[in-house]
Amino acid sequence: MVDYQKLYKMPEITRSLHSFGNENNSQEPKLELEKDQPEVEQVKAHEMAKKQREISISEFFEKNRHLLGFDNKRKALLTTIKEAVDNSLDACDDAGILPEIEVSIYDMENDRFRLIIEDNGPGIVKKQIPKIFAKLLYGSKFHSLKQNRGQQGIGISASVMYGQLTTGRPAKITSKIGVNYPAHYYELHINTQNNKPEIIKDEEKEWSKNHGTRIEIDLEGSYIKGSQSVDEYLKQTAIINPHTTIIYANPKGEQIIFPRATDKHPKQSEEIKPHPHGVELGMLIKMLTWTKAKTIKQFLQTEFSRVGNKTANELLEEAAIIPKTKPQKISRELAERIMKAIKKIKIMAPPTNCISPIGAELLEKGLKKEVNAEFYTSVSRSPAVYRGNPFIIEAALAYGGHIPSEGSVQILRFANKVPLLYQQGACAITESIGKTSWRSYGLQQSGDNNPQGPCVILVHIASVWVPFTSEAKEAIAHYPEIIKEIKLALQEVGRNLYKYIAKKRRVKDELKKRDYIEKYIPAVAEALKEILNFSDIEEQNVIELLEEMLEQQRGAIDKMEFDENKNQEYDKDFADIGKEEQKNDEEEIEGKNNGSY
Amino acid sequence: MEVIEQIKRQAKDILEHIKNKKKPQLESPIRSLGNVHYDIEKGFFELKGQTKSRTLAASTVKTFAQTLKMMGLSKELVETNDIATKREAYYVSKNWGDARFKEQTESDTVMDDVEAMFGVNREQMGFIPEEKGGDIAGRLIVIDKSPDTGKEIRIDCTKFGSGAYSIPSSVEEIKFETNAKFILAIETAGMFQRLVKHNYWKTADCIIISMGGVPTRACRRFIRRLSDDMNLPVFVFTDGDPYGFLNIYRTLKVGSGNAAHLNQFFCVPKAKFIGITPQDIIDYKLPSHPLKEVDIKRIKDGLKNDPFVAAHKNWKRALKQLLEMKVRAEQQALAKHGLNFVISNYLPEKIRNPSSWLD
């Protein structure tokens, strides 16, 4: 969510908030000064009033672009592609279409790039196109509690605005909703004064696609490979969305195809009503004004999940409100009483069938594609709840093989099937990994740091509302319930890991012992020969008998050496994507943070 | 030749086991104070009979091989009438490939195990000790044989001047002639030198022996045979500290826990202690040093685990007294009263007065 609190703390833009989501925004009434105020303050207030003016959406954007993921040129490129791809995947999943997404980046020189993202999704109806792409905070997802990649309808329009601010060029949108419908082509600007779409061009077009959406944005950016690159993002997206095909052409003219690994649709995620435990006072008051319910009791029953006749009665009784009261008549005070009642009354946990996990098996399959290891394990936990929002944690782990044994383990983070590439240190997933005691699972670890060793850890959180630490959706917020669940998932894969490591150690010890035995058997036979003066043949016979005896006693052992050809899923070319130019990564992050468009 | 037969019998048994596809075993007595029994009447430490058996397995295969190789070496030595010191045996093992010893302590332990396994003296197996047996001076004629001619040689121990006769590593074949009144066994070479220099053995009519610390097996066996054959009393003169009491005197008198199978022959049960007792430190007002950590540990261990101490109340008392006094005194401390005080006063007084002895 947009960090409203932060905005409130900035006096210059306080009033512009209204211009944000509100189309009919009118001039704010001038501050009326009260007559009996001392003169000094009057003068000051007048002075201040001169400075108080509407700030444009573009100014707000300029000042807060880091919140939206446009801190630097490299990140801007990634964020734009990410927003477009996330939207495409959400649209396809909602429509039950297996996604096929084409991403192309063209280098226009002088740090300018043209991005084209095209999907086979359900398309967008004509009149919605301008608003979706050229109006901030317009979207279908903000008010819904449903496991989506996008959440607040700010991403793609912010990208359009960023492109417009850095290149002055409009975004070009083509969309078609079916075979018998024409494709609509728009060229759009955002009016940065009033946050309204400006239509530059609006025409119908021939498009060979049956349905889908294509967006073309020019922007200032920077293309660098490495662990925080577009290449890496698309690769991880392919890992976590095995039902998706991505065709990617990077600015170097390389085409990479990530073919879908399964034709199975992911489980459709369902929309649920908010659970009372997840609602805050302001939200409750807003809901009371919007509702079509005739009575407060009806309101509670229809607008919330897990509130039936009985619970509604109990809540109202606790709050001392007559059930027939009209929702619009509920004052702030009464609303607060309802909030208190919610905390007191026992309410069933929210339904959890609304979440669509990836599943342990597919998660492991994805990891196998990326890492050639000796051992894989994965777990998909049962749903849990934080602040009334259901969520599921999934974790997978790869160990040994080609993973470098020096340094910290590699962490792959995902939220609602979207890879998280930035802000690893600020993420609840990282915190949970550090707080899990890996030493008891056979990895090295000092204090609460990330463990060391040849290991890749993947964590996915799926929820109707993933709590991010910022609008840029880079890190998961530190809710204790979420950290607890992640730790439980990690402990489960950790235990499996330990079983493997312990077995490996046992086999190693056993081999050493056998080696030891075979080393000294000849000396035993030789000594007996010296004492008893028997023949060389007899000596050989004794050696064989001894070997047979000791071999038999110890039984057969499993072969545990790493076989690099065993993992059939592993795809070296795939795994190498995003790994080149690794060295440039850090300089990039440090050097470009303060860069301007 | 008895030893060779024993070695062969053991090896055959192992071979039989292997051929019958059974795990072969090696058995030997546990070599520690915990496995000895002390009977005052018999006068020496006897094995209680606890054994350890080593079954061929991953953890034992190395020592198993080394033990057999050591048995093979012993057989070869006896057959060729040769000898090897512990150090030499260690170097021979360097030919054994992977089964070779890394340190001499390892080979010494295996050798002691083999010796105990067969219940024989290591000299009978062709292994001889490195250390000197001890020095003799005084009224004694040793009758030995010349190594080359085999002719009898008479060695007069009064005729070594300021030097001494060395006890050989094997004393079984030696004979004695003497008219001495007693044998005096001394802890340090320094005290021995003083007594030789001032003709103590002449004035006291005795044989004096320098043990140089804990007496070697040869030294113990020599004193035992000399005292038995010639019917002489034995007095032992050591420092007034736990090492002198428990390591030197006790080992000479009743043997050790480490080679308990041999104690019957390598002990001198009739020995009496006339060294510095805790009471002497007081009576003679001897200068003393505080007990070291290791001394205290040795006293406590002796009081707790040593069957010899348990059987002799006067020793128990003496050790407790020393522990309370928290001091120790050396033989040389007697020099406080004059360099020859030990000859003129201490030894005559001690020998005259049996109540000052300790068992």
Side-chain angles (χ1 to χ4, degrees), chain A residues 240-288:
Chain A
I240 208 84
N241 295 281
H243 65 300
T244 302
T245 294
I246 299 173
I247 301 155
Y248 169 49
N250 68 18
K252 308 215 157 150
E254 299 159 349
Q255 194 190 49
I256 303 163
I257 299 175
F258 304 97
R260 68 173 54 94
T262 173
D263 282 341
K264 241 176 84 184
H265 286 273
K267 187 189 148 200
Q268 279 271 14
S269 53
E270 281 164 37
E271 187 169 341
I272 58 161
K273 301 228 163 72
H275 188 272
H277 285 160
V279 173
E280 277 161 355
L281 184 62
M283 185 68 175
L284 180 65
I285 292 169
K286 259 192 205 160
M287 286 169 79
L288 285 164

Short mmCIF file of all heavy atoms in Angstrom, two decimals, chain A residues 240-288:
data_model
loop_
_atom_site.label_atom_id
_atom_site.label_comp_id
_atom_site.label_asym_id
_atom_site.label_seq_id
_atom_site.Cartn_x
_atom_site.Cartn_y
_atom_site.Cartn_z
N ILE A 240 8.86 -20.13 -10.93
CA ILE A 240 7.77 -20.13 -9.96
C ILE A 240 6.40 -20.21 -10.65
O ILE A 240 5.40 -20.48 -10.01
CB ILE A 240 7.88 -18.88 -9.04
CG1 ILE A 240 7.28 -19.16 -7.67
CG2 ILE A 240 7.30 -17.66 -9.68
CD1 ILE A 240 8.21 -19.84 -6.72
N ASN A 241 6.39 -19.99 -11.96
CA ASN A 241 5.14 -20.10 -12.74
C ASN A 241 5.34 -21.14 -13.84
O ASN A 241 5.41 -20.81 -15.03
CB ASN A 241 4.76 -18.76 -13.38
CG ASN A 241 4.44 -17.71 -12.33
OD1 ASN A 241 3.35 -17.71 -11.77
ND2 ASN A 241 5.40 -16.83 -12.07
N PRO A 242 5.41 -22.40 -13.47
CA PRO A 242 5.78 -23.43 -14.44
C PRO A 242 4.77 -23.59 -15.58
O PRO A 242 5.07 -24.24 -16.57
CB PRO A 242 5.88 -24.71 -13.61
CG PRO A 242 5.17 -24.44 -12.34
CD PRO A 242 5.20 -22.98 -12.12
N HIS A 243 3.59 -22.97 -15.45
CA HIS A 243 2.58 -23.10 -16.51
C HIS A 243 2.71 -21.99 -17.55
O HIS A 243 1.87 -21.87 -18.42
CB HIS A 243 1.18 -23.07 -15.89
CG HIS A 243 0.85 -21.75 -15.24
ND1 HIS A 243 1.58 -21.22 -14.20
CD2 HIS A 243 -0.12 -20.84 -15.52
CE1 HIS A 243 1.06 -20.04 -13.85
NE2 HIS A 243 0.03 -19.80 -14.65
N THR A 244 3.79 -21.19 -17.42
CA THR A 244 3.93 -20.01 -18.28
C THR A 244 5.05 -20.18 -19.31
O THR A 244 6.09 -20.75 -18.99
CB THR A 244 4.26 -18.79 -17.40
OG1 THR A 244 3.23 -18.63 -16.44
CG2 THR A 244 4.39 -17.52 -18.22
N THR A 245 4.79 -19.69 -20.53
CA THR A 245 5.86 -19.61 -21.52
C THR A 245 6.26 -18.14 -21.65
O THR A 245 5.40 -17.26 -21.79
CB THR A 245 5.40 -20.14 -22.88
OG1 THR A 245 5.15 -21.54 -22.75
CG2 THR A 245 6.46 -19.91 -23.95
N ILE A 246 7.56 -17.90 -21.58
CA ILE A 246 8.05 -16.53 -21.76
C ILE A 246 9.04 -16.52 -22.91
O ILE A 246 9.96 -17.35 -22.96
CB ILE A 246 8.71 -16.00 -20.47
CG1 ILE A 246 7.71 -15.98 -19.31
CG2 ILE A 246 9.28 -14.60 -20.71
CD1 ILE A 246 8.31 -15.62 -17.97
N ILE A 247 8.82 -15.62 -23.85
CA ILE A 247 9.75 -15.46 -24.96
C ILE A 247 10.40 -14.10 -24.78
O ILE A 247 9.73 -13.07 -24.77
CB ILE A 247 9.02 -15.55 -26.31
CG1 ILE A 247 8.31 -16.90 -26.41
CG2 ILE A 247 9.98 -15.35 -27.47
CD1 ILE A 247 7.12 -16.91 -27.33
N TYR A 248 11.69 -14.13 -24.62
CA TYR A 248 12.37 -12.91 -24.19
C TYR A 248 13.49 -12.54 -25.14
O TYR A 248 14.32 -13.38 -25.49
CB TYR A 248 12.92 -13.14 -22.77
CG TYR A 248 13.87 -12.08 -22.26
CD1 TYR A 248 13.54 -10.72 -22.33
CD2 TYR A 248 15.08 -12.43 -21.69
CE1 TYR A 248 14.42 -9.76 -21.85
CE2 TYR A 248 15.96 -11.47 -21.21
CZ TYR A 248 15.62 -10.13 -21.29
OH TYR A 248 16.48 -9.17 -20.82
N ALA A 249 13.48 -11.30 -25.62
CA ALA A 249 14.57 -10.81 -26.46
C ALA A 249 15.23 -9.66 -25.72
O ALA A 249 14.59 -8.65 -25.44
CB ALA A 249 14.05 -10.34 -27.81
N ASN A 250 16.50 -9.81 -25.34
CA ASN A 250 17.16 -8.74 -24.60
C ASN A 250 17.83 -7.76 -25.56
O ASN A 250 17.90 -8.02 -26.76
CB ASN A 250 18.12 -9.32 -23.56
CG ASN A 250 19.31 -10.00 -24.18
OD1 ASN A 250 19.63 -9.78 -25.35
ND2 ASN A 250 19.97 -10.84 -23.40
N PRO A 251 18.30 -6.63 -25.08
CA PRO A 251 18.85 -5.59 -25.97
C PRO A 251 20.08 -6.06 -26.75
O PRO A 251 20.46 -5.45 -27.73
CB PRO A 251 19.21 -4.45 -25.04
CG PRO A 251 18.58 -4.74 -23.75
CD PRO A 251 18.33 -6.19 -23.69
N LYS A 252 20.70 -7.13 -26.28
CA LYS A 252 21.88 -7.63 -26.99
C LYS A 252 21.49 -8.51 -28.16
O LYS A 252 22.34 -9.14 -28.80
CB LYS A 252 22.76 -8.41 -26.02
CG LYS A 252 23.08 -7.62 -24.77
CD LYS A 252 24.45 -7.86 -24.21
CE LYS A 252 24.84 -6.65 -23.36
NZ LYS A 252 25.74 -6.97 -22.28
N GLY A 253 20.17 -8.60 -28.41
CA GLY A 253 19.69 -9.37 -29.54
C GLY A 253 19.64 -10.86 -29.27
O GLY A 253 19.46 -11.66 -30.17
N GLU A 254 19.78 -11.24 -28.00
CA GLU A 254 19.68 -12.67 -27.66
C GLU A 254 18.23 -13.01 -27.38
O GLU A 254 17.56 -12.30 -26.62
CB GLU A 254 20.52 -12.98 -26.41
CG GLU A 254 21.99 -12.70 -26.57
CD GLU A 254 22.72 -12.51 -25.24
OE1 GLU A 254 22.06 -12.39 -24.19
OE2 GLU A 254 23.97 -12.47 -25.28
N GLN A 255 17.76 -14.10 -27.99
CA GLN A 255 16.39 -14.51 -27.67
C GLN A 255 16.44 -15.74 -26.75
O GLN A 255 17.15 -16.70 -27.01
CB GLN A 255 15.60 -14.86 -28.92
CG GLN A 255 14.12 -14.95 -28.60
CD GLN A 255 13.31 -15.52 -29.74
OE1 GLN A 255 13.65 -16.55 -30.30
NE2 GLN A 255 12.23 -14.84 -30.09
N ILE A 256 15.71 -15.65 -25.66
CA ILE A 256 15.66 -16.76 -24.71
C ILE A 256 14.21 -17.18 -24.58
O ILE A 256 13.33 -16.34 -24.40
CB ILE A 256 16.19 -16.32 -23.32
CG1 ILE A 256 17.62 -15.78 -23.44
CG2 ILE A 256 16.15 -17.48 -22.34
CD1 ILE A 256 18.05 -14.96 -22.24
N ILE A 257 13.98 -18.49 -24.71
CA ILE A 257 12.61 -18.96 -24.52
C ILE A 257 12.55 -19.82 -23.27
O ILE A 257 13.33 -20.74 -23.09
CB ILE A 257 12.14 -19.78 -25.75
CG1 ILE A 257 12.17 -18.88 -26.98
CG2 ILE A 257 10.74 -20.35 -25.53
CD1 ILE A 257 11.85 -19.59 -28.27
N PHE A 258 11.63 -19.44 -22.39
CA PHE A 258 11.38 -20.26 -21.21
C PHE A 258 10.09 -21.02 -21.49
O PHE A 258 9.01 -20.46 -21.31
CB PHE A 258 11.20 -19.39 -19.96
CG PHE A 258 12.36 -18.47 -19.68
CD1 PHE A 258 12.32 -17.14 -20.08
CD2 PHE A 258 13.47 -18.92 -18.98
CE1 PHE A 258 13.37 -16.28 -19.80
CE2 PHE A 258 14.53 -18.06 -18.70
CZ PHE A 258 14.49 -16.74 -19.13
N PRO A 259 10.18 -22.26 -21.92
CA PRO A 259 8.93 -22.97 -22.23
C PRO A 259 8.22 -23.41 -20.97
O PRO A 259 8.86 -23.64 -19.95
CB PRO A 259 9.40 -24.18 -23.03
CG PRO A 259 10.82 -24.39 -22.64
CD PRO A 259 11.35 -23.09 -22.13
N ARG A 260 6.88 -23.54 -21.05
CA ARG A 260 6.16 -23.97 -19.85
C ARG A 260 6.53 -25.40 -19.50
O ARG A 260 6.80 -26.22 -20.39
CB ARG A 260 4.66 -23.78 -20.02
CG ARG A 260 3.96 -24.66 -21.02
CD ARG A 260 2.45 -24.45 -20.94
NE ARG A 260 2.08 -23.05 -21.07
CZ ARG A 260 1.75 -22.47 -22.23
NH1 ARG A 260 1.73 -23.18 -23.35
NH2 ARG A 260 1.43 -21.20 -22.28
N ALA A 261 6.60 -25.67 -18.20
CA ALA A 261 7.00 -27.00 -17.74
C ALA A 261 5.79 -27.88 -17.47
O ALA A 261 5.92 -29.07 -17.32
CB ALA A 261 7.85 -26.88 -16.47
N THR A 262 4.62 -27.27 -17.41
CA THR A 262 3.41 -28.07 -17.16
C THR A 262 2.23 -27.41 -17.85
O THR A 262 2.17 -26.19 -18.00
CB THR A 262 3.13 -28.20 -15.65
OG1 THR A 262 1.87 -28.84 -15.48
CG2 THR A 262 3.09 -26.86 -14.95
N ASP A 263 1.29 -28.24 -18.28
CA ASP A 263 0.06 -27.71 -18.90
C ASP A 263 -1.06 -27.59 -17.87
O ASP A 263 -2.17 -27.22 -18.20
CB ASP A 263 -0.40 -28.63 -20.04
CG ASP A 263 0.44 -28.39 -21.29
OD1 ASP A 263 1.08 -27.33 -21.37
OD2 ASP A 263 0.47 -29.28 -22.16
N LYS A 264 -0.70 -27.93 -16.65
CA LYS A 264 -1.73 -27.88 -15.61
C LYS A 264 -1.92 -26.44 -15.15
O LYS A 264 -0.95 -25.74 -14.82
CB LYS A 264 -1.28 -28.73 -14.42
CG LYS A 264 -2.24 -29.87 -14.12
CD LYS A 264 -1.71 -30.73 -13.01
CE LYS A 264 -2.06 -30.16 -11.65
NZ LYS A 264 -1.46 -30.95 -10.57
N HIS A 265 -3.17 -26.00 -15.12
CA HIS A 265 -3.44 -24.66 -14.61
C HIS A 265 -3.22 -24.64 -13.11
O HIS A 265 -3.54 -25.61 -12.43
CB HIS A 265 -4.91 -24.28 -14.88
CG HIS A 265 -5.17 -23.97 -16.31
ND1 HIS A 265 -4.99 -22.72 -16.83
CD2 HIS A 265 -5.58 -24.74 -17.33
CE1 HIS A 265 -5.29 -22.73 -18.12
NE2 HIS A 265 -5.65 -23.95 -18.46
N PRO A 266 -2.68 -23.54 -12.60
CA PRO A 266 -2.62 -23.45 -11.14
C PRO A 266 -4.04 -23.36 -10.60
O PRO A 266 -4.96 -22.95 -11.32
CB PRO A 266 -1.85 -22.16 -10.90
CG PRO A 266 -2.00 -21.37 -12.15
CD PRO A 266 -2.19 -22.34 -13.27
N LYS A 267 -4.20 -23.72 -9.36
CA LYS A 267 -5.52 -23.63 -8.73
C LYS A 267 -5.99 -22.17 -8.78
O LYS A 267 -5.24 -21.26 -8.48
CB LYS A 267 -5.37 -24.08 -7.27
CG LYS A 267 -6.68 -24.19 -6.54
CD LYS A 267 -6.43 -24.43 -5.06
CE LYS A 267 -7.54 -23.81 -4.24
NZ LYS A 267 -7.15 -23.57 -2.87
N GLN A 268 -7.24 -21.99 -9.21
CA GLN A 268 -7.77 -20.63 -9.28
C GLN A 268 -7.85 -20.05 -7.88
O GLN A 268 -8.39 -20.69 -6.98
CB GLN A 268 -9.17 -20.66 -9.89
CG GLN A 268 -9.18 -20.74 -11.39
CD GLN A 268 -9.15 -19.36 -12.05
OE1 GLN A 268 -8.86 -18.36 -11.38
NE2 GLN A 268 -9.39 -19.32 -13.35
N SER A 269 -7.29 -18.87 -7.71
CA SER A 269 -7.43 -18.26 -6.40
C SER A 269 -8.78 -17.55 -6.35
O SER A 269 -9.24 -17.00 -7.35
CB SER A 269 -6.29 -17.28 -6.13
OG SER A 269 -6.21 -16.36 -7.18
N GLU A 270 -9.42 -17.59 -5.20
CA GLU A 270 -10.75 -17.00 -5.09
C GLU A 270 -10.71 -15.72 -4.27
O GLU A 270 -9.89 -15.57 -3.38
CB GLU A 270 -11.69 -18.00 -4.41
CG GLU A 270 -12.17 -19.06 -5.38
CD GLU A 270 -12.76 -20.25 -4.64
OE1 GLU A 270 -13.42 -20.04 -3.61
OE2 GLU A 270 -12.53 -21.38 -5.10
N GLU A 271 -11.65 -14.87 -4.60
CA GLU A 271 -11.73 -13.61 -3.86
C GLU A 271 -12.51 -13.85 -2.57
O GLU A 271 -13.50 -14.57 -2.56
CB GLU A 271 -12.45 -12.57 -4.72
CG GLU A 271 -12.42 -11.20 -4.10
CD GLU A 271 -12.89 -10.13 -5.07
OE1 GLU A 271 -12.89 -10.39 -6.28
OE2 GLU A 271 -13.22 -9.04 -4.60
N ILE A 272 -12.02 -13.29 -1.48
CA ILE A 272 -12.80 -13.41 -0.24
C ILE A 272 -13.08 -12.03 0.32
O ILE A 272 -12.39 -11.06 0.03
CB ILE A 272 -12.07 -14.24 0.84
CG1 ILE A 272 -10.71 -13.63 1.18
CG2 ILE A 272 -11.93 -15.68 0.41
CD1 ILE A 272 -10.16 -14.09 2.50
N LYS A 273 -14.10 -11.99 1.14
CA LYS A 273 -14.42 -10.75 1.84
C LYS A 273 -13.41 -10.58 2.97
O LYS A 273 -12.86 -11.55 3.47
CB LYS A 273 -15.83 -10.85 2.42
CG LYS A 273 -16.87 -11.08 1.34
CD LYS A 273 -18.03 -10.13 1.54
CE LYS A 273 -18.88 -10.03 0.29
NZ LYS A 273 -19.68 -11.25 0.05
N PRO A 274 -13.19 -9.33 3.39
CA PRO A 274 -12.24 -9.15 4.48
C PRO A 274 -12.72 -9.84 5.76
O PRO A 274 -13.91 -9.94 6.00
CB PRO A 274 -12.17 -7.64 4.66
CG PRO A 274 -13.35 -7.09 3.96
CD PRO A 274 -13.74 -8.06 2.89
N HIS A 275 -11.76 -10.29 6.52
CA HIS A 275 -12.07 -10.89 7.81
C HIS A 275 -12.05 -9.77 8.85
O HIS A 275 -11.23 -8.86 8.75
CB HIS A 275 -11.00 -11.95 8.13
CG HIS A 275 -11.32 -12.77 9.33
ND1 HIS A 275 -10.95 -12.40 10.59
CD2 HIS A 275 -11.97 -13.97 9.45
CE1 HIS A 275 -11.37 -13.34 11.45
NE2 HIS A 275 -11.99 -14.30 10.77
N PRO A 276 -12.96 -9.81 9.81
CA PRO A 276 -13.01 -8.70 10.79
C PRO A 276 -11.65 -8.40 11.43
O PRO A 276 -11.34 -7.25 11.69
CB PRO A 276 -14.00 -9.21 11.84
CG PRO A 276 -14.87 -10.16 11.10
CD PRO A 276 -14.03 -10.80 10.05
N HIS A 277 -10.84 -9.44 11.63
CA HIS A 277 -9.55 -9.21 12.30
C HIS A 277 -8.58 -8.38 11.47
O HIS A 277 -7.61 -7.86 11.98
CB HIS A 277 -8.90 -10.54 12.67
CG HIS A 277 -9.55 -11.20 13.85
ND1 HIS A 277 -9.43 -12.52 14.13
CD2 HIS A 277 -10.37 -10.67 14.81
CE1 HIS A 277 -10.14 -12.81 15.22
NE2 HIS A 277 -10.72 -11.71 15.65
N GLY A 278 -8.84 -8.28 10.17
CA GLY A 278 -7.91 -7.54 9.32
C GLY A 278 -8.37 -6.12 9.04
O GLY A 278 -7.75 -5.42 8.25
N VAL A 279 -9.45 -5.70 9.65
CA VAL A 279 -10.02 -4.39 9.32
C VAL A 279 -9.64 -3.36 10.38
O VAL A 279 -9.66 -3.65 11.57
CB VAL A 279 -11.56 -4.52 9.21
CG1 VAL A 279 -12.18 -3.15 9.04
CG2 VAL A 279 -11.90 -5.40 8.03
N GLU A 280 -9.28 -2.16 9.89
CA GLU A 280 -9.00 -1.08 10.83
C GLU A 280 -10.15 -0.08 10.82
O GLU A 280 -11.00 -0.09 9.94
CB GLU A 280 -7.68 -0.40 10.45
CG GLU A 280 -6.50 -1.16 11.00
CD GLU A 280 -5.20 -0.82 10.30
OE1 GLU A 280 -5.25 -0.05 9.32
OE2 GLU A 280 -4.16 -1.33 10.73
N LEU A 281 -10.11 0.80 11.79
CA LEU A 281 -11.25 1.71 11.99
C LEU A 281 -11.59 2.51 10.73
O LEU A 281 -12.74 2.58 10.32
CB LEU A 281 -10.95 2.65 13.17
CG LEU A 281 -12.09 3.59 13.55
CD1 LEU A 281 -13.31 2.81 14.01
CD2 LEU A 281 -11.65 4.57 14.64
N GLY A 282 -10.60 3.11 10.11
CA GLY A 282 -10.83 3.94 8.93
C GLY A 282 -11.51 3.14 7.83
O GLY A 282 -12.46 3.60 7.17
N MET A 283 -11.01 1.92 7.65
CA MET A 283 -11.56 1.04 6.63
C MET A 283 -13.02 0.72 6.94
O MET A 283 -13.88 0.75 6.06
CB MET A 283 -10.71 -0.24 6.62
CG MET A 283 -11.07 -1.22 5.53
SD MET A 283 -10.66 -0.56 3.91
CE MET A 283 -11.05 -1.99 2.91
N LEU A 284 -13.28 0.45 8.22
CA LEU A 284 -14.64 0.10 8.63
C LEU A 284 -15.59 1.27 8.33
O LEU A 284 -16.68 1.07 7.80
CB LEU A 284 -14.64 -0.22 10.14
CG LEU A 284 -16.00 -0.60 10.74
CD1 LEU A 284 -16.50 -1.92 10.15
CD2 LEU A 284 -15.92 -0.70 12.26
N ILE A 285 -15.16 2.48 8.64
CA ILE A 285 -16.00 3.66 8.40
C ILE A 285 -16.29 3.81 6.91
O ILE A 285 -17.41 4.06 6.48
CB ILE A 285 -15.34 4.93 8.98
CG1 ILE A 285 -15.33 4.82 10.52
CG2 ILE A 285 -16.06 6.19 8.54
CD1 ILE A 285 -14.48 5.86 11.23
N LYS A 286 -15.24 3.62 6.08
CA LYS A 286 -15.44 3.70 4.63
C LYS A 286 -16.43 2.65 4.16
O LYS A 286 -17.31 2.91 3.34
CB LYS A 286 -14.09 3.46 3.93
CG LYS A 286 -13.43 4.75 3.47
CD LYS A 286 -12.27 4.41 2.55
CE LYS A 286 -11.26 5.54 2.58
NZ LYS A 286 -9.95 5.09 2.11
N MET A 287 -16.25 1.43 4.69
CA MET A 287 -17.13 0.34 4.26
C MET A 287 -18.57 0.63 4.62
O MET A 287 -19.49 0.29 3.90
CB MET A 287 -16.67 -0.98 4.90
CG MET A 287 -15.41 -1.55 4.27
SD MET A 287 -14.73 -2.90 5.23
CE MET A 287 -15.80 -4.25 4.75
N LEU A 288 -18.73 1.31 5.78
CA LEU A 288 -20.09 1.64 6.22
C LEU A 288 -20.75 2.62 5.25
O LEU A 288 -21.96 2.58 5.04
CB LEU A 288 -20.06 2.24 7.64
CG LEU A 288 -19.83 1.22 8.77
CD1 LEU A 288 -19.43 1.92 10.06
CD2 LEU A 288 -21.08 0.37 9.00
#
